[in-house]
Amino acid sequence: MGRAPCCDKANVKKGPWSPEEDAKLKSYIEQHGTGGNWIALPQKIGLKRCGKSCRLRWLNYLRPNIKHGGFSEEEDNIICSLYVSIGSRWSIIAAQLPGRTDNDIKNYWNTRLKKKLLGKQRKEQQAQARRVSNNQQKQDVKRETENLIVASEVMINQVPYWSSSEFSSVPMPVTNASSFQHYGLNNQTSLRSMMVNKLEGITFSNDHHQQPQQPYTNGCEIPYLQDQVFPTMVNHVTVVSNENNSVTYQPSNIFQGFENFPSDFCELVCVNPQQMEGFNYGMESMDMSMSNGGSTNTTSTESTSWGEMSSLVYSPLVADYEGCRQGIIAQDHVVAFEECKYFGMQMQ
DNA sequence: AACCCACGCAACCGCAGGGCG
DNA sequence: GCGCCCTGCGGTTGCGTGGGT
């Protein structure tokens, strides 16, 4: 017993649409609308097409104000930043790009942007491999590799770090994809306003070398960056004991709920973990800490200043891409990404 | 000129989720 | 609560085309 077909496949034409079919469909919908029933539409028009096919044709091609090809640098930026933020949620990404369809963006990403970014990433890796020639750097690589192994094991086992007994008593912040829907964050404007609202009362510091404890309105504190090895997707929450014995919680894993987060990124993390440094909390103007493998140990002598981190404001994968770098600077096209990170911290 | 291959794009397929009886 | 129907979405496929040999 399979699912009933949506149409009589024997009497349905498949393949490319002819100009006549396009004209029929377009004129009918412009005059009568879809009637809320795509399945019945082709019969009304006299088209031997599946209703789903009609819908697709209309949405992706015949609909007014559709743009095809010729993606601008600005659109590239938006796509990159949103992909980093939410993954392959093409319909959401398309909603931020007037005149673009999810199918178009998906194709554009798969055929161009992905290759472009991965190509740059590989070049970076090769260049870095050449740079790693002195002993100190070799030691760094060894250390980071060890951390990668630990992180990779966790990722492979898919055991959320917060499920460990170590964190069992810690109220874990949760952010997931549905959070966006819950807050009606279906467009950039609402995302932005949401962010603005949430940021009220928060003081930002541009001097990342200071050690302020920026109080949050919800009582959460943002500790000074004390140590940093390399953050990974599994390395997002730390309990930090401060000098005054108060406890602060670090931001959450922003990918919770994004189980299908792009494999490209997993690949990149595994291949070149250090490249992912700063990926998660690279908010340029917020003091947020990185910590070591989710450990509560904050006594490491290794440290990375926010001055360094600010150069990794964004996923290096994307940051490698000049267009996206510009987008970061402009701060206009990374709203969703920042909010993903921000919600990871705020929605506790 | 013929063939091969890679690429880009349009379209298809299957699944998930919501609405409704 | 259950099942059916429909829509929407994301992944995948297949065809057309252009460049290289």
PDB file of all heavy atoms in Angstrom, chain A residues 49-67:
ATOM      1  N   ARG A  49      -1.244  18.199 -17.117  1.00  0.00           N
ATOM      2  CA  ARG A  49      -0.117  18.333 -16.205  1.00  0.00           C
ATOM      3  C   ARG A  49      -0.563  18.020 -14.793  1.00  0.00           C
ATOM      4  O   ARG A  49      -1.728  18.183 -14.433  1.00  0.00           O
ATOM      5  CB  ARG A  49       0.412  19.772 -16.233  1.00  0.00           C
ATOM      6  CG  ARG A  49       1.156  20.142 -17.482  1.00  0.00           C
ATOM      7  CD  ARG A  49       2.580  19.629 -17.430  1.00  0.00           C
ATOM      8  NE  ARG A  49       3.336  19.989 -18.627  1.00  0.00           N
ATOM      9  CZ  ARG A  49       4.628  19.700 -18.787  1.00  0.00           C
ATOM     10  NH1 ARG A  49       5.304  19.081 -17.847  1.00  0.00           N
ATOM     11  NH2 ARG A  49       5.263  20.030 -19.893  1.00  0.00           N
ATOM     12  N   CYS A  50       0.377  17.600 -13.997  1.00  0.00           N
ATOM     13  CA  CYS A  50       0.124  17.378 -12.584  1.00  0.00           C
ATOM     14  C   CYS A  50      -0.045  18.734 -11.894  1.00  0.00           C
ATOM     15  O   CYS A  50       0.595  19.723 -12.268  1.00  0.00           O
ATOM     16  CB  CYS A  50       1.294  16.614 -11.969  1.00  0.00           C
ATOM     17  SG  CYS A  50       1.206  16.421 -10.191  1.00  0.00           S
ATOM     18  N   GLY A  51      -0.909  18.763 -10.908  1.00  0.00           N
ATOM     19  CA  GLY A  51      -1.120  20.010 -10.179  1.00  0.00           C
ATOM     20  C   GLY A  51       0.155  20.537  -9.538  1.00  0.00           C
ATOM     21  O   GLY A  51       0.418  21.740  -9.526  1.00  0.00           O
ATOM     22  N   LYS A  52       0.930  19.616  -9.054  1.00  0.00           N
ATOM     23  CA  LYS A  52       2.194  20.029  -8.444  1.00  0.00           C
ATOM     24  C   LYS A  52       3.107  20.653  -9.479  1.00  0.00           C
ATOM     25  O   LYS A  52       3.827  21.609  -9.196  1.00  0.00           O
ATOM     26  CB  LYS A  52       2.882  18.811  -7.808  1.00  0.00           C
ATOM     27  CG  LYS A  52       2.207  18.326  -6.562  1.00  0.00           C
ATOM     28  CD  LYS A  52       2.848  17.060  -6.046  1.00  0.00           C
ATOM     29  CE  LYS A  52       4.179  17.329  -5.402  1.00  0.00           C
ATOM     30  NZ  LYS A  52       4.690  16.141  -4.686  1.00  0.00           N
ATOM     31  N   SER A  53       3.055  20.090 -10.660  1.00  0.00           N
ATOM     32  CA  SER A  53       3.894  20.623 -11.725  1.00  0.00           C
ATOM     33  C   SER A  53       3.448  22.039 -12.089  1.00  0.00           C
ATOM     34  O   SER A  53       4.278  22.924 -12.342  1.00  0.00           O
ATOM     35  CB  SER A  53       3.825  19.704 -12.941  1.00  0.00           C
ATOM     36  OG  SER A  53       4.653  20.186 -13.974  1.00  0.00           O
ATOM     37  N   CYS A  54       2.128  22.242 -12.126  1.00  0.00           N
ATOM     38  CA  CYS A  54       1.594  23.575 -12.418  1.00  0.00           C
ATOM     39  C   CYS A  54       2.047  24.572 -11.354  1.00  0.00           C
ATOM     40  O   CYS A  54       2.470  25.691 -11.664  1.00  0.00           O
ATOM     41  CB  CYS A  54       0.072  23.538 -12.478  1.00  0.00           C
ATOM     42  SG  CYS A  54      -0.592  22.621 -13.877  1.00  0.00           S
ATOM     43  N   ARG A  55       1.911  24.148 -10.126  1.00  0.00           N
ATOM     44  CA  ARG A  55       2.310  25.026  -9.035  1.00  0.00           C
ATOM     45  C   ARG A  55       3.775  25.419  -9.157  1.00  0.00           C
ATOM     46  O   ARG A  55       4.157  26.574  -9.024  1.00  0.00           O
ATOM     47  CB  ARG A  55       2.062  24.327  -7.702  1.00  0.00           C
ATOM     48  CG  ARG A  55       2.552  25.101  -6.527  1.00  0.00           C
ATOM     49  CD  ARG A  55       2.396  24.325  -5.229  1.00  0.00           C
ATOM     50  NE  ARG A  55       3.224  24.930  -4.203  1.00  0.00           N
ATOM     51  CZ  ARG A  55       4.487  24.605  -3.987  1.00  0.00           C
ATOM     52  NH1 ARG A  55       5.073  23.676  -4.727  1.00  0.00           N
ATOM     53  NH2 ARG A  55       5.183  25.215  -3.064  1.00  0.00           N
ATOM     54  N   LEU A  56       4.603  24.420  -9.412  1.00  0.00           N
ATOM     55  CA  LEU A  56       6.033  24.657  -9.528  1.00  0.00           C
ATOM     56  C   LEU A  56       6.344  25.602 -10.692  1.00  0.00           C
ATOM     57  O   LEU A  56       7.166  26.516 -10.576  1.00  0.00           O
ATOM     58  CB  LEU A  56       6.751  23.324  -9.725  1.00  0.00           C
ATOM     59  CG  LEU A  56       8.155  23.222  -9.166  1.00  0.00           C
ATOM     60  CD1 LEU A  56       8.127  23.384  -7.656  1.00  0.00           C
ATOM     61  CD2 LEU A  56       8.771  21.885  -9.530  1.00  0.00           C
ATOM     62  N   ARG A  57       5.669  25.354 -11.785  1.00  0.00           N
ATOM     63  CA  ARG A  57       5.912  26.182 -12.959  1.00  0.00           C
ATOM     64  C   ARG A  57       5.527  27.635 -12.692  1.00  0.00           C
ATOM     65  O   ARG A  57       6.229  28.557 -13.076  1.00  0.00           O
ATOM     66  CB  ARG A  57       5.111  25.634 -14.149  1.00  0.00           C
ATOM     67  CG  ARG A  57       5.387  26.332 -15.462  1.00  0.00           C
ATOM     68  CD  ARG A  57       6.815  26.130 -15.918  1.00  0.00           C
ATOM     69  NE  ARG A  57       7.079  26.791 -17.188  1.00  0.00           N
ATOM     70  CZ  ARG A  57       8.282  26.916 -17.737  1.00  0.00           C
ATOM     71  NH1 ARG A  57       9.338  26.407 -17.127  1.00  0.00           N
ATOM     72  NH2 ARG A  57       8.449  27.541 -18.879  1.00  0.00           N
ATOM     73  N   TRP A  58       4.414  27.786 -12.022  1.00  0.00           N
ATOM     74  CA  TRP A  58       3.960  29.137 -11.705  1.00  0.00           C
ATOM     75  C   TRP A  58       4.912  29.824 -10.723  1.00  0.00           C
ATOM     76  O   TRP A  58       5.360  30.939 -10.945  1.00  0.00           O
ATOM     77  CB  TRP A  58       2.539  29.092 -11.128  1.00  0.00           C
ATOM     78  CG  TRP A  58       2.076  30.391 -10.566  1.00  0.00           C
ATOM     79  CD1 TRP A  58       1.997  30.733  -9.241  1.00  0.00           C
ATOM     80  CD2 TRP A  58       1.642  31.553 -11.292  1.00  0.00           C
ATOM     81  NE1 TRP A  58       1.537  32.008  -9.098  1.00  0.00           N
ATOM     82  CE2 TRP A  58       1.305  32.539 -10.348  1.00  0.00           C
ATOM     83  CE3 TRP A  58       1.501  31.843 -12.657  1.00  0.00           C
ATOM     84  CZ2 TRP A  58       0.847  33.799 -10.713  1.00  0.00           C
ATOM     85  CZ3 TRP A  58       1.033  33.106 -13.008  1.00  0.00           C
ATOM     86  CH2 TRP A  58       0.714  34.065 -12.060  1.00  0.00           C
ATOM     87  N   LEU A  59       5.237  29.135  -9.671  1.00  0.00           N
ATOM     88  CA  LEU A  59       6.053  29.750  -8.628  1.00  0.00           C
ATOM     89  C   LEU A  59       7.472  30.040  -9.101  1.00  0.00           C
ATOM     90  O   LEU A  59       8.067  31.046  -8.731  1.00  0.00           O
ATOM     91  CB  LEU A  59       6.102  28.840  -7.390  1.00  0.00           C
ATOM     92  CG  LEU A  59       4.796  28.687  -6.620  1.00  0.00           C
ATOM     93  CD1 LEU A  59       4.978  27.718  -5.463  1.00  0.00           C
ATOM     94  CD2 LEU A  59       4.303  30.036  -6.098  1.00  0.00           C
ATOM     95  N   ASN A  60       8.001  29.156  -9.900  1.00  0.00           N
ATOM     96  CA  ASN A  60       9.411  29.281 -10.268  1.00  0.00           C
ATOM     97  C   ASN A  60       9.653  30.019 -11.575  1.00  0.00           C
ATOM     98  O   ASN A  60      10.795  30.394 -11.862  1.00  0.00           O
ATOM     99  CB  ASN A  60      10.065  27.906 -10.360  1.00  0.00           C
ATOM    100  CG  ASN A  60      10.237  27.255  -8.999  1.00  0.00           C
ATOM    101  OD1 ASN A  60      10.252  27.936  -7.987  1.00  0.00           O
ATOM    102  ND2 ASN A  60      10.349  25.949  -8.993  1.00  0.00           N
ATOM    103  N   TYR A  61       8.596  30.168 -12.344  1.00  0.00           N
ATOM    104  CA  TYR A  61       8.865  30.723 -13.669  1.00  0.00           C
ATOM    105  C   TYR A  61       7.849  31.755 -14.131  1.00  0.00           C
ATOM    106  O   TYR A  61       8.214  32.817 -14.621  1.00  0.00           O
ATOM    107  CB  TYR A  61       8.936  29.582 -14.686  1.00  0.00           C
ATOM    108  CG  TYR A  61       9.626  29.976 -15.961  1.00  0.00           C
ATOM    109  CD1 TYR A  61      11.015  29.972 -16.041  1.00  0.00           C
ATOM    110  CD2 TYR A  61       8.901  30.360 -17.088  1.00  0.00           C
ATOM    111  CE1 TYR A  61      11.654  30.337 -17.198  1.00  0.00           C
ATOM    112  CE2 TYR A  61       9.538  30.725 -18.256  1.00  0.00           C
ATOM    113  CZ  TYR A  61      10.915  30.712 -18.310  1.00  0.00           C
ATOM    114  OH  TYR A  61      11.548  31.084 -19.470  1.00  0.00           O
ATOM    115  N   LEU A  62       6.578  31.462 -13.982  1.00  0.00           N
ATOM    116  CA  LEU A  62       5.549  32.318 -14.572  1.00  0.00           C
ATOM    117  C   LEU A  62       5.124  33.471 -13.666  1.00  0.00           C
ATOM    118  O   LEU A  62       4.632  34.488 -14.154  1.00  0.00           O
ATOM    119  CB  LEU A  62       4.316  31.470 -14.930  1.00  0.00           C
ATOM    120  CG  LEU A  62       4.583  30.359 -15.948  1.00  0.00           C
ATOM    121  CD1 LEU A  62       3.335  29.515 -16.144  1.00  0.00           C
ATOM    122  CD2 LEU A  62       5.034  30.935 -17.285  1.00  0.00           C
ATOM    123  N   ARG A  63       5.300  33.289 -12.397  1.00  0.00           N
ATOM    124  CA  ARG A  63       4.901  34.310 -11.439  1.00  0.00           C
ATOM    125  C   ARG A  63       5.529  35.659 -11.808  1.00  0.00           C
ATOM    126  O   ARG A  63       6.674  35.694 -12.273  1.00  0.00           O
ATOM    127  CB  ARG A  63       5.372  33.873 -10.052  1.00  0.00           C
ATOM    128  CG  ARG A  63       4.812  34.613  -8.898  1.00  0.00           C
ATOM    129  CD  ARG A  63       4.982  33.771  -7.628  1.00  0.00           C
ATOM    130  NE  ARG A  63       6.299  33.179  -7.461  1.00  0.00           N
ATOM    131  CZ  ARG A  63       7.179  33.575  -6.528  1.00  0.00           C
ATOM    132  NH1 ARG A  63       6.884  34.546  -5.712  1.00  0.00           N
ATOM    133  NH2 ARG A  63       8.340  32.967  -6.428  1.00  0.00           N
ATOM    134  N   PRO A  64       4.768  36.748 -11.611  1.00  0.00           N
ATOM    135  CA  PRO A  64       5.313  38.066 -11.946  1.00  0.00           C
ATOM    136  C   PRO A  64       6.538  38.409 -11.092  1.00  0.00           C
ATOM    137  O   PRO A  64       6.668  37.929  -9.971  1.00  0.00           O
ATOM    138  CB  PRO A  64       4.162  39.024 -11.623  1.00  0.00           C
ATOM    139  CG  PRO A  64       2.944  38.180 -11.583  1.00  0.00           C
ATOM    140  CD  PRO A  64       3.376  36.816 -11.147  1.00  0.00           C
ATOM    141  N   ASN A  65       7.399  39.237 -11.653  1.00  0.00           N
ATOM    142  CA  ASN A  65       8.560  39.777 -10.942  1.00  0.00           C
ATOM    143  C   ASN A  65       9.589  38.724 -10.551  1.00  0.00           C
ATOM    144  O   ASN A  65      10.306  38.894  -9.583  1.00  0.00           O
ATOM    145  CB  ASN A  65       8.118  40.535  -9.680  1.00  0.00           C
ATOM    146  CG  ASN A  65       7.144  41.635  -9.995  1.00  0.00           C
ATOM    147  OD1 ASN A  65       7.278  42.333 -11.010  1.00  0.00           O
ATOM    148  ND2 ASN A  65       6.124  41.792  -9.170  1.00  0.00           N
ATOM    149  N   ILE A  66       9.592  37.647 -11.310  1.00  0.00           N
ATOM    150  CA  ILE A  66      10.616  36.640 -11.049  1.00  0.00           C
ATOM    151  C   ILE A  66      11.900  37.044 -11.751  1.00  0.00           C
ATOM    152  O   ILE A  66      11.902  37.403 -12.925  1.00  0.00           O
ATOM    153  CB  ILE A  66      10.163  35.258 -11.569  1.00  0.00           C
ATOM    154  CG1 ILE A  66       9.011  34.741 -10.731  1.00  0.00           C
ATOM    155  CG2 ILE A  66      11.305  34.271 -11.570  1.00  0.00           C
ATOM    156  CD1 ILE A  66       9.399  34.338  -9.340  1.00  0.00           C
ATOM    157  N   LYS A  67      12.986  36.962 -10.994  1.00  0.00           N
ATOM    158  CA  LYS A  67      14.300  37.237 -11.577  1.00  0.00           C
ATOM    159  C   LYS A  67      15.009  35.910 -11.820  1.00  0.00           C
ATOM    160  O   LYS A  67      14.944  34.997 -11.009  1.00  0.00           O
ATOM    161  CB  LYS A  67      15.139  38.101 -10.632  1.00  0.00           C
ATOM    162  CG  LYS A  67      14.712  39.542 -10.568  1.00  0.00           C
ATOM    163  CD  LYS A  67      15.742  40.374  -9.834  1.00  0.00           C
ATOM    164  CE  LYS A  67      15.609  40.248  -8.333  1.00  0.00           C
ATOM    165  NZ  LYS A  67      16.547  41.121  -7.592  1.00  0.00           N
TER     166      LYS A  67
END
